[in-house]
């Protein structure tokens, strides 16, 4: 089956992308604009590089509603904090996904405490085990209700108890207990893992596979 995405309705395109690109990490984004602090989760998100440290964030809105507070605040200030979501905070994260009116402080709505950031104005969520302070490098408006933000990570905050060796940045990744997005209202836990060594060309030749 082939779908030409310029010939199908947008909801079909969304289903094709969101139901196949899984699991997707969740960016719990905190911003601060002229109307206050905003928090909302987004799953069109990932790391794009480390030199410089770069993330990409896809921000969408329902047709006819325009950009959400997160996109408007980033376009206004270029600053945001990405917090990662452990399973113990999924209910609070889900509350901040509500379609609250502009200017509502979702952090207060969800009963979440914050800590000040070092490089940007938006705070970070105190109970999140990992937070990235970011500044937008560029924002590309790709549609009437969609923008892609490329952000530089200025600082990473990691709760001390998840660091085995701080100097070498050895992290107890499984202990972070992070969740990811699937499709619809489904989420995915990150405990089921396996290791796979990356092959080398020399090794493949030695094994007669190249």
């Amino acid at each position: 089956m082939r779908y030409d995405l310029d010939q199908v309705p947008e909801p079909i395109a969304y289903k094709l992308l969101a139901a196949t690109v899984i699991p997707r990490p969740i960016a719990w984004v905190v911003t601060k604009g002229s109307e206050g602090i905003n928090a909302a989760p987004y799953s069109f998100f990932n790391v794009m590089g480390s030199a410089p440290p770069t993330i990409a964030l896809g921000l969408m809105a329902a047709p006819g509603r325009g950009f959400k507070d997160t996109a408007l605040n980033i376009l206004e200030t270029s600053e945001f904090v990405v917090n990662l979501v452990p399973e113990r905070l999924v209910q609070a994260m889900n509350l901040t996904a509500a379609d609250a009116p502009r200017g509502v402080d979702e952090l207060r709505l969800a009963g979440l405490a914050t800590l000040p950031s070092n490089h940007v104005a938006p705070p970070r969520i105190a109970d999140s085990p990992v937070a990235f302070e970011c500044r937008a490098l560029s924002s590309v408006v790709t549609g009437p209700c969609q923008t892609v933000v490329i952000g530089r990570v200025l600082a990473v905050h990691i709760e001390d108890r998840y660091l085995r060796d701080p100097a070498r940045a050895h992290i107890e990744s499984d202990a972070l207990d992070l969740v990811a997005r699937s499709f619809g209202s489904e989420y995915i836990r990150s405990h089921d893992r396996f290791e796979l060594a990356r092959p080398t060309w020399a090794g493949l030749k030695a094994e007669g596979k190249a």
Side-chain angles (χ1 to χ4, degrees), residues 35-187:
E35 297 192 30
I37 294 174
N38 175 262
Y42 293 86
S43 67
F44 286 2
F45 155 71
N46 219 313
V47 175
M48 294 293 115
S50 59
T54 306
I55 61 96
L57 186 62
L59 306 175
M60 299 177 61
R65 291 185 54 197
F67 287 132
K68 298 180 181 178
D69 289 358
T70 299
L72 292 172
N73 289 345
I74 293 175
L75 292 172
E76 176 187 335
T77 69
S78 296
E79 296 183 341
F80 59 102
V81 177
V82 170
N83 305 270
L84 301 186
V85 183
E87 187 172 359
R88 69 179 184 278
L89 294 181
V90 292
Q91 295 297 335
M93 179 272 297
N94 198 39
L95 267 178
T96 66
D99 56 344
R102 181 159 173 77
V104 170
D105 183 347
E106 289 86 357
L107 295 171
R108 180 176 297 177
L109 178 70
L112 292 163
T114 61
L115 292 170
S117 298
N118 293 82
H119 302 282
V120 297
R124 54 194 176 94
I125 296 172
D127 286 337
S128 174
V130 182
F132 305 132
E133 295 186 33
C134 302
R135 183 170 291 120
L137 294 171
S138 64
S139 298
V140 181
V141 177
T142 56
C145 302
Q146 181 174 284
T147 186
V148 177
V149 173
I150 308 297
R152 177 163 184 165
V153 181
L154 305 175
V156 180
H157 299 267
I158 301 180
E159 196 172 336
D160 289 349
R161 59 178 166 149
Y162 300 114
L163 289 164
R164 289 183 298 177
D165 185 343
R168 301 178 68 184
H170 286 179
I171 299 165
E172 292 280 3
S173 298
D174 193 55
L176 294 174
D177 197 30
L178 300 178
V179 295
R181 285 286 280 119
S182 178
F183 179 65
S185 299
E186 292 184 349
Y187 291 81

